[in-house]
């Protein structure tokens, strides 16, 4: 497709931009894309291979990937090999997290990267709060008891869990989602302590009833329920490792709806099997979509299939943001959700 203008940050496309979408989106979003763009959809809704992603980068003005599509420097170089440069000028990511995209390599190729920030904040916070409530009260165990036909009726000492009111909730990562979790948790009488790269303004701390703890180890050692809400990066890889898990209170609970590689799964499983931890609520995993069968077998662990953003409303809103970013870019303007290289 002919390019009318070209700069390191924007590109005006003559006619409809050619857009390649790597996974199925909501029908309303796909219909809007088909109306506005020359779009290629993934009718089979399966993860694309590396070779297929390279081909999509070579043949499209815009790539719309998801968190399961790893786009690295070698892939971008391969897609540009033998041409006057990379045809793709925009990677319009469907989702807020962009750790699967090499931002430095994209910048070097003069490719803009956009995401969909803020769309899934409430959805993920709701799911996190559900796990914070469910794991201490043993909802997963209770549900299996009924479904398996093993429930024999009410008894005063049966399926006793823990009250969460008055417990200390430790939040690691106090961005949009962490703050939304704190807002919900306060209504349930939890004491809120958080650790973040940058301390929040006092006005926000007061509004959320949250106390800042600069020492991550101390926060982990003093909390009853620990929930993780930081992005995946080199600095946060296995942030909750064997040493830090050993610091946790006996019978403490771990909640993770962020990214699987924030936790050393082997160390977590060992602590759960030994009885050191009271339980865990997990929506993400180190080798997703593979889930360690030992986690599934543990009665005090709730395992979910990455449902944090899985609402019709959220996915539709994310699709609308992707469409808006593409339209701004194709018209030669800076997209509203452009990601800077220093993001994370």
């Amino acid at each position: 497709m002919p390019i009318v203008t070209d700069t390191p940050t924007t590109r005006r496309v003559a006619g409809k931009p050619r857009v390649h979408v790597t996974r199925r989106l909501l029908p309303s979003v796909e219909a809007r894309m088909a109306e506005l763009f020359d779009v290629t959809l993934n009718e089979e809704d399966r993860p694309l291979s590396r070779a297929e992603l390279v081909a999509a980068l070579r043949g499209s003005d815009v790539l719309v990937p998801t968190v399961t599509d790893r786009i690295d420097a070698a892939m971008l170089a391969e897609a540009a090999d033998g041409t006057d440069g990379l045809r793709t000028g925009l990677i319009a990511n469907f989702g807020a997290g962009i750790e699967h995209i090499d931002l430095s390599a994209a910048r070097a190729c003069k490719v803009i990267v956009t995401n969909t920030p803020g769309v899934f904040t409430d959805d993920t916070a709701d799911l996190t709060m559900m796990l914070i409530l469910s794991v201490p009260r043993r909802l997963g165990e209770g549900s299996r008891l009924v479904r398996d036909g093993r429930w024999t009726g009410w008894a005063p000492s049966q399926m006793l869990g823990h009250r969460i009111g008055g417990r200390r909730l430790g939040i690691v990562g106090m961005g949009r989602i962490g703050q939304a979790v704190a807002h919900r948790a306060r209504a349930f009488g939890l004491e809120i302590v958080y650790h973040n790269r940058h301390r929040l303004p006092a006005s926000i701390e007061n509004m959320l009833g949250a106390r800042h703890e600069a020492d991550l180890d101390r926060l982990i050692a003093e909390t009853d329920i620990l929930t993780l809400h930081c992005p995946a990066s080199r600095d946060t890889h296995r942030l909750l490792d064997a040493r830090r898990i050993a610091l946790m209170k006996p019978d403490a609970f771990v909640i993770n709806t962020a990214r699987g590689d924030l936790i050393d799964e082997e160390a977590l499983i060992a602590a759960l099997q030994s009885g050191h931890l009271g339980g865990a609520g997990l929506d993400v995993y180190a080798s997703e979509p593979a889930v360690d069968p030992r986690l599934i077998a543990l009665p005090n662990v709730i395992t979910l299939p990455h449902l944090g953003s899985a609402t019709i409303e959220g996915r539709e809103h994310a699709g609308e943001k992707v469409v808006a970013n593409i339209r701004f870019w194709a018209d030669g303007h800076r997209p509203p959700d452009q990601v800077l290289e220093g993001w994370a």
Side-chain angles (χ1 to χ4, degrees), residues 294-311:
R294 292 172 294 173
L295 286 172
I296 298 172
L298 286 163
N300 56 343
V301 177
I302 293 178
T303 50
L304 300 177
H306 204 144
L307 293 178
S309 63
T311 67

Side-chain angles (χ1 to χ4, degrees), residues 83-105:
T83 69
D84 295 330
L86 189 65
R87 173 172 179 168
T88 296
L90 173 66
I91 297 176
N93 188 61
F94 182 87
I98 43 76
E99 67 274 7
H100 55 292
I101 302 170
D102 188 326
L103 296 180
S104 297

Side-chain angles (χ1 to χ4, degrees), residues 220 238-248 262-268 270-271 276-277:
I220 287 172
R238 293 190 175 179
L239 174 144
L240 190 61
D241 56 12
R243 182 186 68 82
R244 285 186 167 136
I245 289 173
L247 295 176
M248 296 183 72
L262 300 179
I263 298 178
D264 181 340
E265 266 189 16
E266 282 293 330
L268 177 65
H276 174 63
L277 293 179

Side-chain angles (χ1 to χ4, degrees), residues 53-311:
L53 285 170
V54 169
L57 287 165
R58 282 178 175 162
S60 304
D61 302 302
V62 181
L63 182 71
V64 180
T66 70
V67 68
T68 61
D69 303 305
R70 185 158 297 280
I71 301 168
D72 54 31
M75 181 181 292
L76 292 168
E78 185 179 348
D81 186 41
T83 69
D84 295 330
L86 189 65
R87 173 172 179 168
T88 296
L90 173 66
I91 297 176
N93 188 61
F94 182 87
I98 43 76
E99 67 274 7
H100 55 292
I101 302 170
D102 188 326
L103 296 180
S104 297
R107 180 180 178 86
C109 294
K110 298 183 179 180
V111 176
I112 288 178
V113 178
T114 61
N115 66 344
T116 61
V119 171
F120 302 123
T121 296
D122 286 334
D123 300 329
T124 306
D126 288 345
L127 189 83
T128 302
M129 198 65 223
M130 181 193 75
L131 290 172
I132 289 171
L133 295 170
S134 299
V135 177
R137 289 299 301 273
R138 303 174 65 185
L139 262 65
E141 295 175 73
S143 177
R144 283 192 293 271
L145 191 71
V146 174
R147 285 190 287 113
D148 295 344
R150 294 182 290 110
W151 184 48
T152 58
W154 181 88
S157 59
Q158 184 187 62
M159 289 294 300
L160 299 181
H162 290 278
R163 179 182 296 168
I164 69 164
R167 294 289 183 114
R168 181 172 294 164
L169 175 68
I171 302 177
V172 181
M174 202 64 157
R176 290 186 182 95
I177 295 173
Q179 291 179 43
V181 170
H183 176 72
R184 287 156 173 76
R186 189 178 188 186
F188 286 89
L190 284 152
E191 177 190 346
I192 300 162
V193 184
Y194 77 94
H195 175 85
N196 203 45
R197 287 178 304 170
H198 306 292
R199 184 170 181 174
L200 298 177
S203 58
I204 297 179
E205 289 184 348
N206 293 335
M207 179 183 69
L208 297 174
R211 174 172 63 83
H212 177 252
E213 175 53 72
D215 188 329
L216 177 58
D217 285 357
R218 182 179 299 168
L219 177 141
I220 287 172
E222 293 180 351
T223 55
D224 302 300
I225 305 170
L226 181 70
T227 182
L228 307 179
H229 298 288
C230 38
S233 69
R234 280 184 225 147
D235 294 335
T236 61
H237 181 70
R238 293 190 175 179
L239 174 144
L240 190 61
D241 56 12
R243 182 186 68 82
R244 285 186 167 136
I245 289 173
L247 295 176
M248 296 183 72
K249 291 180 179 181
D251 297 327
F253 302 96
V254 174
I255 308 296
N256 188 13
T257 60
R259 289 291 185 263
D261 65 0
L262 300 179
I263 298 178
D264 181 340
E265 266 189 16
E266 282 293 330
L268 177 65
I269 291 168
L272 289 163
Q273 289 178 333
S274 71
H276 174 63
L277 293 179
L282 307 173
D283 189 41
V284 288
Y285 309 91
S287 301
E288 197 171 316
V291 180
D292 194 302
R294 292 172 294 173
L295 286 172
I296 298 172
L298 286 163
N300 56 343
V301 177
I302 293 178
T303 50
L304 300 177
H306 204 144
L307 293 178
S309 63
T311 67

